[in-house]
Amino acid sequence: MIRSISPTVFAAVAAAALFGCANQGLEDDRFATGSTPIVAGSQYQALYTANPDQATVSRVDVATGATAELEVGLEPTRIARAGDKLITTLRNERGIAIIDEATFTVDRVIPTGAEPYGVVATEDGSRFYVAVSMSGVVEEYDASTYELLRSWPVDGEPRWLTLHPNAQSLYVGSAFGGMVHWIDLPGDQVNRVEIPTIVGFHPSTGEEVALTPRVTGDMAISSDGNTIAIPTLQVENSSPGGDLSAPNPGAAVYYAPPGGGRFNSVLLTTAVVGGGAPADEYWDATLLNVEHEDLGTVASYPSSTTFAPDGDTILVTVEAGEAVISVATRANGSMNRGGTRNSIGWLTIGSRTQGVALSSRGPRGIAFDADGEGYVFAYHQGAVERVKMDSLADQATPAGSTNPLSLGNSVGMFEVSGLNTAKIHDTDWVFDDIVLTDDELAGRDLFFSSVDDRMAFNGAGVSCSTCHFEGRNDGLTWPLENGGRQTPSLAGDVSLTAPVTWTESVATVGDEAFATSQGRMGGSGLSQNSADKVAAFINRGRHVDLPNKGLETDSVVRGRAIFNREDVGCGDCHGGSTLQDGESHDMVGLNNVNTPTLVGIAATAPYFHDGSAVTLRAVLEYARSGEMGDTSMLSDTEMDDLEAYLTSL
């Protein structure tokens, strides 16, 4: 059962915070409280990373720098440690691999649902929890017997987990809808957390508007159990801002400064003293926006949050920004500053002291060794990078001011010695087992970059991966001059479904990558050859693994027959292996709409070019009009069967 948290519960938690309710923190403040792609071993002498493309887990010996790789299964995505066992989710294998740390071998693979993603374990190693994203559940396992103990439904495609140190409360971040849930483990209850509405501004008029939230990465709880940190992107997608497809449209339209623009990278924090519901009155929204001498403005979506062992600092990886931002855990000496709210209760974006360090490409997570030193996993580079913590309060400069790293100089949170200027990586710890081609690697770097000015206007904080999250979609509809356009998914080989985009006759994915980067994203100087490399990366992607994919139930079989009936007409446009005809049609009030593929359609809500159909059933109900096939003669039971068939594609 899922319920929203009442104001009474919020008030009780806030009172506990104010009056010093007893709280259970971690015994070891280096232990990971949140899901992560990099984790320290049981003695903190080795680090382990989950490498999705390589189908491996890598081990790095902290003392010697020696590395080893273990094949574990398809798409290891997150990794946790429970006692002397490592648990990694196999996103493309519907499984969880259990690794014996001592022998560095796979002990077993436990079957689970579609696309297991986040995993987190209790500090005592007795339980671990898995977010099975496409199945929409979070599961609890006994770490000794590997028995599935409980399962809870969670909306919005649950991916990221963080477990309170008292092991009584589990928090879940979902990829869609800006959703966070709190699972009361003793009470066996799922609760929807009402995260605050963030104040944004209309890009043209400057009037206050509500921003649309997305959770964008791994959450964390401080080792004392007092604070939760949630990485988010807050977007302004409700106000038309002119023709965003025009070349370099200008700051007033699309690239307004963070806090007043389309894309705002925001770290949310609040109190969770004693566990339980995040406290309503302690929410704070910190704008992640800081300058680096080599990168310019770092303002892209945060991919993970991690508390430093001292509890005073939150480390935020910025995957598309090639950086790590450090943020003070507490503001003005208080447990958690309550953010400023406007007259109707919306939370205003603020700023805290921040530091920034340049990382290698694609930083996704941070772990700590025995001495409490931090290590960044830069996945796109295939590197584990060593950083040394320093006092943020003493060293960092205010957000928005230049705060570079220099050779042998301590700035912000990071001290670098013996490495090249403005870098934090140790080149001895780079993994060479790369399975992508050179063109795909180059294309991936461009696809994920918000700081390469060939792809995007510096300071906009936007990359291809901002909207096409993990090469898929963000579930949002964007206001263009000629109407709303829903973000299409890039899952699967997109070139097979050309022409691409909603209405224009763009012949290739490379042509679209060129047009989008140079137009909507404000990039300059991208060559067609480089755009084709972006296309090479996009086209290597796989389709989403859906819970019902390939099922042959009686309902699915009946639905397939209905789909192919001449009087219903679905198969007229949606045929062949791609389930689309490569043609355009006038429909849903728009001319020349390119037929979208139906492969993986259950994972691409909302539907239609303007996102006006929230569910698949709404699409089928619309088809009763006869404008798009004709379902007017179908009974409710037949509609159920047709919907079942679509969810199996």
Side-chain angles (χ1 to χ4, degrees):
M1 177 180 178
I2 299 177
R3 61 181 176 88
S4 294
I5 302 168
S6 70
T8 303
V9 176
F10 278 129
V13 175
L18 292 172
F19 294 106
C21 176
N23 179 56
Q24 179 183 337
L26 292 175
E27 292 185 7
D28 183 346
D29 55 18
R30 300 163 299 180
F31 188 79
T33 59
S35 52
T36 175
I38 178 171
V39 70
S42 56
Q43 302 301 315
Y44 293 90
Q45 302 301 314
L47 302 169
Y48 299 87
T49 67
N51 312 315
D53 288 322
Q54 285 76 19
T56 64
V57 165
S58 293
R59 180 179 64 194
V60 176
D61 186 289
V62 173
T64 67
T67 63
E69 283 195 276
L70 174 67
E71 292 186 5
V72 295
L74 298 179
E75 249 177 85
T77 301
R78 293 295 185 268
I79 188 167
R81 178 175 60 81
D84 60 357
K85 302 292 185 183
L86 303 167
I87 303 106
T88 185
T89 51
L90 304 178
R91 192 180 184 190
N92 194 24
E93 195 170 309
R94 297 194 178 192
I96 311 161
I98 308 298
I99 301 168
D100 182 270
E101 185 184 358
T103 61
F104 198 41
T105 57
V106 176
D107 180 61
R108 68 188 70 191
V109 173
I110 303 169
T112 185
E115 296 206 357
Y117 196 105
V119 58
V120 67
T122 58
E123 187 180 15
D124 66 7
S126 63
R127 297 282 188 275
F128 65 88
Y129 300 87
V130 178
V132 189
S133 60
M134 294 313 303
S135 292
V137 297
V138 173
E139 298 176 336
E140 178 185 53
Y141 288 86
D142 185 302
S144 298
T145 65
Y146 308 118
E147 177 187 1
L148 175 62
L149 302 176
R150 290 183 288 181
S151 179
W152 301 275
V154 176
D155 294 332
E157 194 176 317
R159 292 189 185 178
W160 304 287
L161 303 174
T162 185
L163 181 64
H164 196 278
N166 65 16
Q168 305 294 298
S169 296
L170 180 67
Y171 305 89
V172 186
S174 295
F176 297 100
M179 293 185 187
V180 176
H181 289 84
W182 159 50
I183 300 178
D184 175 6
L185 296 174
D188 199 27
Q189 180 75 52
V190 181
N191 311 274
R192 173 75 182 271
V193 176
E194 300 299 334
I195 65 174
T197 298
I198 307 297
V199 176
F201 301 94
H202 188 291
S204 299
T205 68
E207 296 178 354
E208 287 188 346
V209 293
L211 297 179
T212 301
R214 280 176 46 208
V215 182
T216 56
D218 293 301
M219 310 180 298
I221 293 176
S222 56
S223 60
D224 61 12
N226 288 341
T227 306
I228 187 171
I230 303 171
T232 72
L233 186 68
Q234 305 282 338
V235 302
E236 206 297 281
N237 69 321
S238 60
S239 306
D243 185 0
L244 306 190
S245 63
N248 299 315
V253 176
Y254 198 61
Y255 304 119
R262 291 291 186 190
F263 302 95
N264 306 280
S265 179
V266 172
L267 174 67
L268 288 179
T269 60
T270 192
V272 285
V273 175
D280 187 38
E281 55 264 65
Y282 284 99
W283 282 110
D284 183 77
T286 297
L287 181 67
L288 300 172
N289 175 39
V290 62
E291 299 293 325
H292 189 283
E293 64 178 356
D294 290 337
L295 295 173
T297 302
V298 178
S300 187
Y301 63 88
S303 48
S304 75
T305 57
T306 308
F307 284 86
D310 63 11
D312 294 333
T313 307
I314 305 170
L315 303 179
V316 183
T317 59
V318 185
E319 180 178 45
E322 301 177 13
V324 178
I325 295 176
S326 58
V327 183
T329 300
R330 299 169 182 83
N332 304 323
S334 64
M335 182 197 70
N336 235 0
R337 176 181 60 182
T340 303
R341 296 178 185 262
N342 70 359
S343 59
I344 58 175
W346 294 354
L347 191 62
T348 301
I349 295 176
S351 182
R352 300 189 194 182
T353 300
Q354 296 178 34
V356 64
L358 173 66
S359 74
S360 287
R361 299 185 300 276
R364 287 189 173 179
I366 294 175
F368 303 98
D369 68 6
D371 298 323
E373 290 195 38
Y375 295 81
V376 180
F377 179 36
Y379 173 64
H380 296 169
Q381 181 75 21
V384 172
E385 308 180 335
R386 179 165 45 197
V387 297
K388 184 175 180 179
M389 305 292 181
D390 208 357
S391 170
L392 179 67
D394 294 340
Q395 302 295 338
T397 56
S401 59
T402 301
N403 188 21
L405 287 174
S406 299
L407 183 64
N409 182 36
S410 175
V411 178
M413 312 232 357
F414 305 105
E415 184 177 67
V416 179
S417 179
L419 302 176
N420 54 321
T421 301
K423 287 283 189 180
I424 60 174
H425 73 270
D426 183 332
T427 55
D428 288 339
W429 294 2
V430 176
F431 308 116
D432 296 324
D433 184 17
I434 305 298
V435 297
L436 279 69
T437 67
D438 289 345
D439 282 355
E440 289 168 352
L441 285 169
R444 181 175 68 179
D445 289 344
L446 292 168
F447 184 90
F448 278 92
S449 181
S450 66
V451 292
D452 188 326
D453 61 10
R454 292 177 297 169
M455 291 298 295
F457 181 85
N458 187 266
V462 65
S463 64
C464 299
S465 61
T466 301
C467 297
H468 299 286
F469 195 57
E470 295 190 340
R472 296 181 180 178
N473 64 312
D474 58 7
L476 300 179
T477 301
W478 294 93
L480 305 185
E481 187 176 63
N482 54 356
R485 293 291 183 269
Q486 177 233 339
T487 304
S489 175
L490 300 184
D493 188 340
V494 182
S495 67
L496 297 177
T497 62
V500 295
T501 77
W502 280 106
T503 58
E504 293 82 7
S505 296
V506 181
T508 70
V509 177
D511 290 341
E512 176 61 18
F514 182 86
T516 298
S517 64
Q518 305 309 283
R520 293 175 187 168
M521 291 167 56
S524 60
L526 187 72
S527 68
Q528 186 63 53
N529 181 56
S530 293
D532 290 341
K533 292 178 180 179
V534 175
F537 168 69
I538 291 172
N539 287 333
R540 78 177 301 276
R542 66 170 176 83
H543 284 293
V544 180
D545 180 18
L546 296 164
N548 296 337
K549 193 176 186 68
L551 282 185
E552 288 289 330
T553 63
D554 291 344
S555 181
V556 168
V557 171
R558 291 193 300 268
R560 181 187 296 112
I562 295 169
F563 182 90
N564 291 313
R565 274 170 44 179
E566 289 187 9
D567 59 338
V568 176
C570 298
D572 292 345
C573 297
H574 297 285
S577 61
T578 61
L579 294 177
Q580 54 93 234
D581 59 6
E583 304 291 337
S584 61
H585 308 272
D586 297 342
M587 53 173 286
V588 198
L590 190 65
N591 296 329
N592 301 316
V593 178
N594 295 324
T595 306
T597 178
L598 297 186
V599 179
I601 189 68
T604 61
Y607 303 100
F608 297 148
H609 65 278
D610 57 0
S612 57
V614 177
T615 64
L616 269 178
R617 187 53 169 257
V619 174
L620 298 180
E621 292 294 340
Y622 180 89
R624 290 190 186 278
S625 67
E627 182 183 1
M628 184 185 67
D630 187 359
T631 60
S632 61
M633 78 294 295
L634 299 181
S635 67
D636 287 345
T637 299
E638 288 173 317
M639 292 283 272
D640 291 342
D641 291 338
L642 183 54
E643 184 177 3
Y645 171 63
L646 293 177
T647 64
S648 74
L649 297 175

